[in-house]
Amino acid sequence: MAQPPPLGELPPGYTPPARPTAPQILAGSLKAPLWLRAYFQGLLFSLGCGIQKHCGKVLFLGLLAFGALALGLRVAVIETDLEQLWVEVGSRVSQELHYTKEKLGEEAAYTSQMLIQTPRQEGENILTPEALGLHLQAALTASKVQVSLYGKSWDLNKICYKSGVPLIENGMIERMIEKLFPCVILTPLDCFWEGAKLQGGSAYLPGRPDIQWTNLDPEQLLEELGPFASLEGFRQLLDKAQVGQAYVGRPCLDPDDLHCPPSAPNHHNRQAPNVAQELSGGCHGFSHKFMHWQEELLLGGMVRDPQGRLLRAEALQSTFLLMSPRQLFEHFRGDYQTHDIGWSEEQASKVLQTWQRRFVQVSMDKNRAGCPQATPSSLPFRSTLSLQLAQEALPENASQQIHAFSPTTLDDILHAFSEVSTARVVGGYLLMLAYACVTMLRWDCAQSQGAVGLAGVLLVALAVASGLGLCSLLGITFNAATTQVLPFLALGIGVDDIFLLAHAFTEAPPGTPLQERMGECLQRTGTSVALTSINNMVAFFMAALVPIPALRAFSLQAAIVVGCNFTAVMLVFPAVLSLDLHRRHCQRLDVLCCFSSPCSARVIQILPQELGDRTVPVGIAHLTTTVQAFTHCEASSQHVVTILPPQAQLVPPPSDPLSSELFSPVGSTRDLLGQEEGIRPKAARKSLPCARWNLAHFARYQFAPLLLQTHAKAMVLMFFGALLGLSLYGVTLVQDGLALTDVVPRGTKEHAFLSAQLRYFSLYEVALVTQGGFDYAHSQRALFDLHQRFSSLKAVLPPPATQAPRTWLHYYRNWLQGIQAAFDQDWASGRITYHSYRNGSEDGALAYKLLIQTGNAQEPLDFSQLTTRRLVDKEGLIPPELFYMGLTVWVSSDPLGLAASQANFYPPPPEWLHDKYDTTGENLRIPAAQPLEFAQFPFLLRGLQKTADFVEAIKGARAACTEAGQAGVHAYPSGSPFLFWEQYLGLRRCFLLAVGILLVCTFLVCALLLLNPWTAGLIVLILAMMTVELFGIMGFLGIKLSAIPVVILVASVGIGVEFTVHVALGFLTTQGSRNLRAARALEHTFAPVTDGAVSTLLGLLMLAGSNFDFIIRYFFVVLTVLTLLGLLHGLVLLPVLLSILGPPPEVVQMYKESPQVLSPATPRGGTLRWGVTPTLPQNFARVTTSMTVALHPPPLPGAYIHPASTEPIWSPAVTPATNSSATE
């Protein structure tokens, strides 16, 4: 059988060893892993040597490239729109939202400003005239807010939302109505005459005092104006809306008020009203028919008697509705008040925002005396335009408290939440700089790496900035998670690898050529750095599977930043280490490199003198070296054999404080020289124990011996088993959800408002949207059924029994029935005939015009249908041929009903003006509305406190829409519960999918780079345990599961690799029993892993200073727990598992030592003599791995220590029988 081709160049004259008698490993079992490892390490070695050779150029180009990418931060965009941040990408909600915006535009019809009043004393009844009086003061103060912008004054009456302003032919009456028409204000004060005080409109008529709602009796006014103008249509409009006497017919809260009208029921008896009785059933605006405010909108914490009568309540709420910026712009476009200021939609938005900030008080004030107060400087945002408004209206000793809120306040919170805290970022990085510098400083100036630590942290900071700049250039928007968390998290993760490389660089094997130091460092640590960085990137990319835009952006940005950190650590930081090596070679001080280092000069002079005879003193207790393993594949037996040439004969030191299996801590050439000086008679000085102590010393002498004892292992397994079991129980405690109160800083008035609203007014406005794609005219029955199914849902607030459903289809049908009844009366009395309707009523004339419509363009009118057709049939359905023409008439003739229905038709029906006295044929023709593509039914959802309540309501709404779809109606629910809570329907499934995929990817990456599936499996087991335990601890801490914790849980798999892979790789590449290899792995990795954990904690520490409790609970606490879990699992559980279940070593001792090795010659003068290197055949490949040689009896066989020269000395004098070999 042909011999395999040679695998590498080896010294000539080598004779292959005889066949061993010990067992061998079957061919191919470890051959491929070592070959691949050798090839990968060779690439890293070449990379390190190349960087060291051109360190200055690499550093310059690296800093230039990273600096250029960091400039991308100038185009960064911070997203604060809740819909853009939290609506699932590509989900049905996202598609529905897109459809809504496509039809209606970007904005809602109005915005809400709210006041909530609660008693200071828990459980106190608020349904008293005194409490209502305080509420009036606060609401009145807020309603009188004025702002001056662009040289104009803006008050509530100019910017408020007004529902259904009618069009009147009489110009004077139209202008008066426009000024008087009331704002929509949902308030418990509307049950009383005092509700009129919130309406700021006024009008002037000659001979009368200013007309305001406090003195306006619409019925009386129409009687006075009747002789001067034709107001029959307007009178009928008011009658249909059931306006009556408006506010002057309602009781006065304070009958002693001088302005209390005589028409008030309690004006004459001067008795205070029964507040609970008046508020029972809700209140009405100026229109009893279309403006009914239900109890749940006005009162919170209600208590009723067994008969259902209202007894008491604990909260009052008033809601002011404002126009949207687009509505305000359209309302004043072309108006004389704005013609000189270049009126635009941006200016309209600025007016609204300024007014809202004036409406809502920002700083704490006197009405919260006795409560925990937040100083203005502690608040995350402040407005220079804020005044003491609603809350200042209350007396200092008031028993009530007012909470104010507006959408602008919420936007301010989100903007403040997304702002980068420069002080915390700078403080965090300065703290990390100090830690890195202090931990890497040494008394031995030549061995100190303080400047390396400083440069490493600054390099990571630049890499983070460049990564974020690259994200900006790629168009990935920033959000609060990016600005508040990522800079600190990326710093902690990035510095871990900095510490690892710096530790490894100081542990270079003695005798390593100066020009190969960086190559040797990357050869030994590059695999670990690549493993951790790749796993982190994969983890964050997997976290991007969470379909929430804010978290997807955060995950992608984190992955890109980790990639930039990896590039900086592998390419630029080696150049820094190389320059530091040049500094040490030039005998310069650390940090202050301009000054010479006397200690460095001393070391350089001693090294060749003491090792000139190739001896090492007996007193040395430890030595780190590199084992040259030569892999050989024998053609005859297909065995893979690794030779560990015995190039040194070792004499044990006098004693070893540990058992024969454990090894001594990592050292360096300078450590050897320092200890040699310590045993000389000329230098009797002895260093202090604290000067010799370090983390490696602790791991060697205290931690590893204790941890690897049998009873300690049992205790560790029991502890982690109990922790896992307890965490599994904690998983059952985790609830879904993320309330707005979790995001807003505690102790602020915004948090107080949201807490009160969640407790007392958990109501949500939603709509059932019907789309295009079906015929509305022929699907009326299906639409009514859909409304009925939706109304029957548990969470839907039913309308009062005395009120018809608030949907456009009901209002439309009822209106048609009303004009049909008017027509029937006019027809029966003879006021309307086939040929004339002028003598009939306005409604009768409208019905006349509708009844004669045919829908045929050739013959549009048919007068014979007047008595044969009905506008609504016996089944309550509108004739399909009349449906869209009737819709045009209803929209033009019943603005109050249309506004109350909140139909939001698209396309909007055409405007059509009815004139009863115009009998031309053109006036008889009614244009049909276009087929509807968008309409909606409004609903109120109540009792939604927990995420489970939202999920139940969402499932019910979706089921109703699905049933409607089977009947041909295309519909979907719309509103904040569906936008922000529908994600919880599949959040846990998405979480499990992402974690499962990530664990599989982690296994594949570890198996590929470690080339050992056994070890990869143990790592994945540890990572899975960490994820479960972190999830369970969240349950005990009361942290709810939302998209943010899901991202952290998914990322915990990648972050956990930082704590496990170094130990696993160290265990895999060392020789000896499992206990010995576990101890060696701890020896090499305890210090860098601990430093990495501390650096991560320091990076996270700055999050603890955030003003947002959300950042502290959901990021700082969770990530801190994750770091501690990683430290415990990586340095405690994993070594124990490896010592019990660990895979076999890559280098396994197979041959017994020769007599020369077992019985070495007596050393001279108590020193250790170096041996020589045997020759090896041509069909061996060289593989380099890192290990530590223990100098205690019996000496480790086959240990190779570099001689003082730069190249090994090969001698044929040693026969093959003296070699110790290993099989891989």
Side-chain angles (χ1 to χ4, degrees):
M1 191 172 182
Q3 294 289 333
L7 301 177
E9 294 294 332
L10 298 175
Y14 179 83
T15 304
R19 289 283 305 275
T21 58
Q24 292 181 329
I25 299 177
L26 296 179
S29 61
L30 293 176
K31 174 176 63 176
L34 286 179
W35 282 353
L36 293 174
R37 178 81 52 73
Y39 178 75
F40 185 60
Q41 287 182 336
L43 293 179
L44 293 173
F45 181 82
S46 301
L47 175 65
C49 292
I51 293 175
Q52 181 174 345
K53 183 178 180 180
H54 306 284
C55 56
K57 300 175 183 176
V58 171
L59 183 60
F60 174 76
L61 294 177
L63 295 179
L64 185 64
F66 283 120
L69 289 176
L71 294 177
L73 288 172
R74 300 179 61 185
V75 298
V77 177
I78 298 180
E79 182 63 71
T80 58
D81 186 354
L82 280 177
E83 293 179 358
Q84 297 296 326
L85 290 173
W86 291 104
V87 177
E88 297 183 27
V89 178
S91 65
R92 60 185 177 186
V93 175
S94 176
Q95 297 171 3
E96 293 161 359
L97 183 62
H98 175 74
Y99 185 86
T100 301
K101 290 184 176 181
E102 180 185 358
K103 303 304 179 183
L104 297 185
E106 294 288 333
E107 297 175 346
Y110 51 80
T111 58
S112 302
Q113 280 59 234
M114 288 165 283
L115 291 177
I116 292 179
Q117 178 178 330
T118 58
R120 292 190 185 276
Q121 186 174 355
E122 186 77 16
E124 181 181 344
N125 183 25
I126 205 169
L127 299 184
T128 63
E130 295 75 19
L132 264 293
L134 293 175
H135 194 76
L136 172 63
Q137 293 181 39
L140 188 59
T141 305
S143 68
K144 300 304 180 184
V145 168
Q146 290 187 359
V147 296
S148 296
L149 281 178
Y150 313 115
K152 311 294 179 182
S153 178
W154 305 90
D155 58 14
L156 177 64
N157 194 53
K158 288 184 177 180
I159 66 175
C160 70
Y161 176 75
K162 299 181 179 182
S163 174
V165 180
L167 297 177
I168 307 297
E169 296 179 8
N170 188 299
M172 180 188 71
I173 301 299
E174 183 180 9
R175 287 191 296 272
M176 184 181 69
I177 291 176
E178 182 181 355
K179 292 181 178 180
L180 276 176
F181 205 83
C183 300
V184 178
I185 304 175
L186 288 69
T187 174
L189 298 170
D190 274 349
C191 282
F192 308 94
W193 165 75
E194 280 78 4
K197 293 184 176 181
L198 303 183
Q199 303 294 342
S202 64
Y204 172 74
L205 285 178
R208 289 180 57 96
D210 286 349
I211 301 175
Q212 299 178 349
W213 282 101
T214 54
N215 60 16
L216 173 62
D217 184 344
E219 294 178 348
Q220 181 182 354
L221 180 63
L222 290 178
E223 291 292 338
E224 295 177 0
L225 295 177
F228 306 100
S230 175
L231 300 175
E232 182 182 355
F234 184 55
R235 185 192 304 273
Q236 290 186 3
L237 179 68
L238 295 182
D239 290 341
K240 290 180 181 179
Q242 301 175 8
V243 174
Q245 290 183 303
Y247 290 98
V248 296
R250 303 176 188 181
C252 297
L253 268 176
D254 180 12
D256 296 326
D257 191 324
L258 296 178
H259 300 285
C260 180
S263 55
N266 61 343
H267 173 76
H268 299 290
N269 58 26
R270 301 294 179 178
Q271 291 183 357
N274 186 329
V275 174
Q277 182 179 345
E278 295 293 338
L279 290 175
S280 181
C283 300
H284 296 85
F286 81 98
S287 168
H288 279 253
K289 181 178 181 179
F290 297 119
M291 296 182 176
H292 177 252
W293 323 135
Q294 293 176 255
E295 289 178 345
E296 290 79 1
L297 293 170
L298 309 176
L299 306 177
M302 292 180 288
V303 178
R304 302 179 184 275
D305 64 11
Q307 288 74 36
R309 290 180 299 223
L310 179 64
L311 294 179
R312 53 183 297 144
E314 297 182 18
L316 301 173
Q317 177 175 257
S318 291
T319 304
F320 298 75
L321 302 186
L322 304 183
M323 285 188 282
S324 67
R326 180 176 300 176
Q327 288 176 328
L328 184 62
F329 167 70
E330 294 292 342
H331 181 74
F332 283 100
R333 184 169 62 173
D335 191 271
Y336 74 95
Q337 300 181 65
T338 57
H339 73 281
D340 59 337
I341 60 175
W343 183 242
S344 65
E345 191 169 341
E346 292 74 16
Q347 290 175 321
S349 178
K350 181 68 174 178
V351 168
L352 289 170
Q353 291 176 1
T354 305
W355 192 92
Q356 290 178 64
R357 290 192 176 100
R358 297 281 301 265
F359 175 87
V360 178
Q361 170 207 351
V362 173
S363 57
M364 307 299 289
D365 69 352
K366 59 187 179 182
N367 84 43
R368 310 190 82 180
C371 299
Q373 297 193 16
T375 61
S377 60
S378 70
L379 295 176
F381 54 90
R382 296 183 298 277
S383 170
T384 58
L385 299 173
S386 63
L387 297 176
Q388 308 294 332
L389 296 176
Q391 297 187 11
E392 268 195 344
L394 301 186
E396 186 173 357
N397 59 349
S399 61
Q400 310 290 318
Q401 52 187 349
I402 293 291
H403 312 286
F405 196 77
S406 74
T408 298
T409 304
L410 181 59
D411 292 339
D412 289 340
I413 291 174
L414 294 176
H415 281 289
F417 194 33
S418 303
E419 289 178 357
V420 179
S421 176
T422 305
R424 285 195 293 116
V425 170
V426 172
Y429 279 75
L430 287 177
L431 186 61
M432 190 67 72
L433 283 169
Y435 175 78
C437 182
V438 170
T439 55
M440 301 180 74
L441 281 173
R442 296 292 183 270
W443 292 108
D444 186 345
C445 303
Q447 194 178 358
S448 179
Q449 289 184 301
V452 170
L454 294 175
V457 174
L458 293 176
L459 179 61
V460 170
L462 179 60
V464 172
S466 65
L468 295 177
L470 178 59
C471 294
S472 301
L473 296 175
L474 294 176
I476 303 176
T477 58
F478 287 26
N479 55 69
T482 304
T483 57
Q484 295 282 336
V485 177
L486 191 54
F488 307 105
L489 179 61
L491 173 64
I493 294 177
V495 172
D496 293 354
D497 293 331
I498 294 292
F499 281 117
L500 183 65
L501 258 68
H503 277 279
F505 194 70
T506 60
E507 299 171 1
T512 302
L514 191 66
Q515 65 272 20
E516 298 179 3
R517 289 288 297 275
M518 198 63 247
E520 179 68 26
C521 177
L522 284 185
Q523 183 175 351
R524 291 189 295 150
T525 60
T527 303
S528 296
V529 174
L531 257 177
T532 56
S533 299
I534 292 175
N535 272 285
N536 276 326
M537 286 189 287
V538 171
F540 283 114
F541 278 127
M542 287 299 104
L545 291 175
V546 178
I548 306 300
L551 283 309
R552 175 168 290 180
F554 171 79
S555 302
L556 292 176
Q557 288 164 340
I560 293 174
V561 168
V562 169
C564 290
N565 277 341
F566 175 57
T567 303
V569 170
M570 293 294 290
L571 296 180
V572 182
F573 188 63
V576 174
L577 289 173
S578 301
L579 289 176
D580 187 68
L581 180 65
H582 180 71
R583 186 267 308 170
R584 291 154 66 182
H585 182 71
C586 294
Q587 307 172 24
R588 297 289 182 179
L589 284 174
D590 189 18
V591 182
L592 304 174
C593 55
C594 296
F595 301 95
S596 299
S597 169
C599 51
S600 179
R602 175 177 55 83
V603 172
I604 296 299
Q605 295 173 2
I606 292 176
L607 179 61
Q609 298 175 3
E610 297 301 329
L611 298 182
D613 57 353
R614 299 160 55 93
T615 61
V616 180
V618 168
I620 299 174
H622 54 274
L623 178 65
T624 298
T625 183
T626 299
V627 176
Q628 299 288 346
F630 301 94
T631 303
H632 165 56
C633 179
E634 294 190 13
S636 59
S637 61
Q638 292 297 308
H639 289 162
V640 181
V641 180
T642 299
I643 303 298
L644 300 178
Q647 295 169 310
Q649 296 180 0
L650 309 179
V651 177
S655 62
D656 193 311
L658 297 178
S659 62
S660 60
E661 273 200 298
L662 299 183
F663 66 104
S664 53
V666 176
S668 65
T669 304
R670 293 182 178 87
D671 295 328
L672 301 179
L673 298 175
Q675 294 188 32
E676 183 183 1
E677 287 182 351
I679 62 170
R680 293 178 181 175
K682 295 182 180 180
R685 60 181 178 85
K686 184 176 182 180
S687 60
L688 296 174
C690 60
R692 299 194 307 267
W693 191 94
N694 53 34
L695 289 175
H697 185 279
F698 170 75
R700 162 65 181 90
Y701 285 101
Q702 282 86 32
F703 186 72
L706 177 63
L707 180 65
L708 298 177
Q709 293 178 13
T710 303
H711 67 276
K713 294 180 184 179
M715 292 178 63
V716 167
L717 295 178
M718 291 175 59
F719 170 78
F720 281 95
L723 179 61
L724 181 61
L726 196 63
S727 299
L728 290 174
Y729 171 71
V731 168
T732 64
L733 303 178
V734 178
Q735 299 179 357
D736 293 346
L738 178 63
L740 196 57
T741 51
D742 295 331
V743 179
V744 177
R746 295 182 183 272
T748 62
K749 71 171 191 58
E750 291 78 17
H751 187 275
F753 172 87
L754 293 172
S755 299
Q757 185 186 47
L758 182 63
R759 178 178 178 182
Y760 296 115
F761 300 99
S762 185
L763 289 173
Y764 295 87
E765 293 185 6
V766 299
L768 185 59
V769 175
T770 51
Q771 303 172 263
F774 71 97
D775 188 355
Y776 281 70
H778 290 85
S779 302
Q780 296 176 60
R781 176 59 59 196
L783 288 171
F784 283 122
D785 292 341
L786 172 61
H787 176 267
Q788 181 60 35
R789 279 193 296 268
F790 206 94
S791 300
S792 63
L793 295 179
K794 174 184 175 182
V796 173
L797 178 66
T802 58
Q803 182 181 354
R806 292 175 51 218
T807 68
W808 66 269
L809 194 55
H810 288 89
Y811 282 140
Y812 176 27
R813 184 182 65 179
N814 294 344
W815 180 82
L816 287 176
Q817 290 173 335
I819 65 172
Q820 179 72 63
F823 173 84
D824 292 340
Q825 291 179 3
D826 291 341
W827 183 269
S829 63
R831 290 191 297 270
I832 293 181
T833 64
Y834 281 107
H835 305 292
S836 175
Y837 56 81
R838 293 185 61 178
N839 295 326
S841 62
E842 291 283 343
D843 286 349
L846 284 174
Y848 180 97
K849 293 182 179 181
L850 278 174
L851 287 171
I852 63 176
Q853 304 298 317
T854 64
N856 188 339
Q858 302 297 329
E859 298 181 359
L861 306 177
D862 184 357
F863 293 92
S864 65
Q865 298 178 151
L866 285 172
T867 56
T868 60
R869 166 185 278 180
R870 306 291 293 178
L871 296 180
V872 179
D873 62 21
K874 296 180 180 180
E875 297 181 356
L877 302 179
I878 304 168
E881 63 273 14
L882 280 179
F883 186 87
Y884 285 108
M885 286 181 287
L887 192 64
T888 298
V889 178
W890 175 61
V891 167
S892 300
S893 305
D894 190 16
L896 290 176
L898 175 65
S901 71
Q902 302 178 35
N904 285 330
F905 291 129
Y906 182 86
E911 291 186 1
W912 178 78
L913 186 62
H914 164 65
D915 184 0
K916 187 176 71 169
Y917 299 100
D918 185 355
T919 58
T920 61
E922 191 64 31
N923 185 262
L924 292 177
R925 295 187 180 93
I926 300 175
Q930 298 182 46
L932 294 176
E933 299 179 16
F934 185 98
Q936 63 184 22
F937 300 152
F939 292 93
L940 282 174
L941 299 185
R942 62 175 178 179
L944 303 182
Q945 297 285 344
K946 301 179 180 179
T947 302
D949 301 329
F950 287 94
V951 171
E952 180 183 358
I954 291 171
K955 289 182 178 179
R958 291 294 182 183
C961 293
T962 302
E963 293 181 13
Q966 297 173 357
V969 175
H970 304 155
Y972 61 86
S974 175
S976 58
F978 304 97
L979 289 179
F980 305 123
W981 274 272
E982 185 149 336
Q983 58 178 288
Y984 295 103
L985 295 179
L987 183 63
R988 297 205 175 211
R989 177 188 56 81
C990 182
F991 163 57
L992 293 176
L993 176 64
V995 170
I997 295 176
L998 180 55
L999 289 175
V1000 172
C1001 292
T1002 302
F1003 174 81
L1004 295 177
V1005 171
C1006 292
L1008 179 64
L1009 292 183
L1010 293 177
L1011 304 170
N1012 192 299
W1014 190 337
T1015 306
L1018 287 177
I1019 292 176
V1020 168
L1021 173 64
I1022 295 293
L1023 297 178
M1025 289 181 61
M1026 287 175 55
T1027 304
V1028 173
E1029 290 165 4
L1030 180 60
F1031 198 8
I1033 293 175
M1034 285 172 47
F1036 289 111
L1037 294 176
I1039 297 176
K1040 299 177 183 178
L1041 183 67
S1042 63
I1044 292 176
V1046 164
V1047 168
I1048 296 178
L1049 286 168
V1050 173
S1052 67
V1053 178
I1055 296 174
V1057 174
E1058 297 272 356
F1059 303 99
T1060 55
V1061 72
H1062 305 310
V1063 177
L1065 185 60
F1067 178 87
L1068 192 62
T1069 56
T1070 53
Q1071 182 188 15
S1073 67
R1074 285 193 175 101
N1075 272 354
L1076 176 59
R1077 293 160 58 211
R1080 287 179 172 176
L1082 280 174
E1083 169 72 28
H1084 285 287
T1085 60
F1086 190 89
V1089 170
T1090 303
D1091 283 338
V1094 173
S1095 66
T1096 302
L1097 291 175
L1098 288 177
L1100 299 175
L1101 184 61
M1102 291 298 101
L1103 299 179
S1106 174
N1107 292 323
F1108 293 90
D1109 184 68
F1110 171 78
I1111 292 292
I1112 298 174
R1113 285 172 52 81
Y1114 282 80
F1115 284 100
F1116 171 71
V1117 173
V1118 175
L1119 289 172
T1120 299
V1121 171
L1122 170 60
T1123 303
L1124 297 177
L1125 285 176
L1127 199 61
L1128 286 174
H1129 286 76
L1131 296 181
V1132 178
L1133 179 60
L1134 182 58
V1136 170
L1137 289 181
L1138 290 173
S1139 69
I1140 300 173
L1141 304 173
E1146 291 182 339
V1147 180
V1148 182
Q1149 179 178 332
M1150 299 296 295
Y1151 298 100
K1152 293 183 179 180
E1153 301 84 348
S1154 64
Q1156 290 91 332
V1157 177
L1158 290 177
S1159 304
T1162 303
R1164 295 177 293 125
T1167 59
L1168 180 68
R1169 187 174 300 281
W1170 296 93
V1172 294
T1173 306
T1175 59
L1176 293 177
Q1178 292 290 328
N1179 57 347
F1180 278 71
R1182 176 175 299 182
V1183 181
T1184 302
T1185 184
S1186 175
M1187 66 180 296
T1188 301
V1189 180
L1191 306 183
H1192 47 68
L1196 287 178
Y1200 167 63
I1201 304 173
H1202 279 289
S1205 60
T1206 59
E1207 295 294 334
I1209 301 175
W1210 298 88
S1211 173
V1214 180
T1215 62
T1218 65
N1219 297 335
S1220 107
S1221 62
T1223 302
E1224 311 187 57

